[in-house]
């Protein structure tokens, strides 16, 4: 990762690390995935173990990485303690993506997304996805929205 990418994503990685720590996700947890930005996955990997998941055909993160074409995650059901996604505000298919994220995160686990969208819209989408215990943190123009996967989200499948 170039120094400019490290600088651009350093603040976001710090905020995500702090949010995950506050939510009780240990920094050495091997089951945390970041979907979306390889450079952010690399920046966060300097602070904790993270699996980078590229939403297209190519994955460029330097750490462990997976490819997820068409939004389907190649991960087992309830296999993650946390999942972080980047760039949900511009997506029309956010409901399908959120359902897939809830599938791979265990009950009580954390789903968070980092976006430059409006805070109210991010909260609405998190509630509609079925997340509970919502939290938000603003860092510059970025908003981190975080929630927990409730037991009822798994019961309704």
């Amino acid at each position: 990762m170039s120094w400019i990418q490290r600088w651009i994503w350093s603040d976001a990685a710090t905020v995500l690390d702090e949010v995950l720590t506050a939510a009780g996700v240990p920094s050495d947890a091997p089951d945390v995935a970041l979907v979306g930005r390889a450079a952010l996955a690399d920046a966060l990997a300097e602070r904790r173990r993270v699996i980078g998941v590229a939403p297209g055909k190519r994955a460029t993160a330097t750490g462990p990485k997976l490819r997820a074409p068409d939004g389907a995650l190649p991960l087992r059901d309830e296999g993650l303690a946390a999942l972080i996604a980047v760039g949900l505000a511009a997506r029309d298919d956010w409901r399908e993506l959120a359902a897939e994220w809830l599938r791979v995160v265990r009950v009580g686990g954390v789903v968070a997304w980092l976006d430059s969208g409006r805070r109210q819209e991010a909260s609405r989408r998190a509630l509609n996805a079925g997340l509970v215990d919502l939290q938000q943190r603003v860092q510059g123009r970025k908003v981190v929205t975080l929630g927990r996967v409730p037991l009822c989200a798994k019961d309704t499948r």
Side-chain angles (χ1 to χ4, degrees):
M1 175 170 53
S2 72
W3 69 268
I4 192 118
Q5 288 175 320
R6 190 180 338 270
W7 176 74
I8 289 170
W9 292 109
S10 177
D11 286 345
T14 300
V15 169
L16 288 172
D17 183 45
E18 291 170 0
V19 167
L20 290 174
T21 300
V25 179
S27 61
D28 61 346
D31 48 1
V32 175
L34 189 137
V35 179
R37 294 273 185 191
L40 180 55
D42 288 344
L44 187 58
E46 293 176 6
R47 294 167 174 78
R48 61 174 54 238
R49 294 173 61 184
V50 64
I51 300 166
V53 181
K57 296 178 181 174
R58 247 182 75 190
T60 58
T62 57
K65 52 193 168 279
L66 300 168
R67 294 183 191 132
D70 303 325
L73 296 175
L75 300 165
R76 72 179 197 276
D77 292 358
E78 299 187 39
L80 296 176
L83 181 135
I84 304 159
V86 180
L88 184 64
R91 302 285 304 249
D92 291 332
D93 60 345
W94 67 269
R95 290 179 201 271
E96 294 82 10
L97 292 172
E100 179 68 359
W101 299 338
L102 267 63
R103 178 188 68 79
V104 299
V105 177
R106 67 182 64 111
V107 171
V110 173
V111 175
W113 53 80
L114 174 74
D115 223 319
S116 55
R118 298 178 310 225
R119 294 183 336 177
Q120 296 85 353
E121 180 63 15
S123 294
R124 183 185 71 78
R125 289 182 178 192
L127 288 170
N128 284 333
L131 297 175
V132 296
D133 300 333
L134 295 185
Q135 300 174 28
Q136 279 190 329
R137 183 163 172 187
V138 178
Q139 176 69 33
R141 291 186 281 178
K142 301 288 185 196
V143 176
V144 177
T145 304
L146 174 139
R148 292 198 180 275
V149 177
L151 178 59
C152 63
K154 302 294 181 177
D155 290 341
T156 59
R157 292 174 184 244

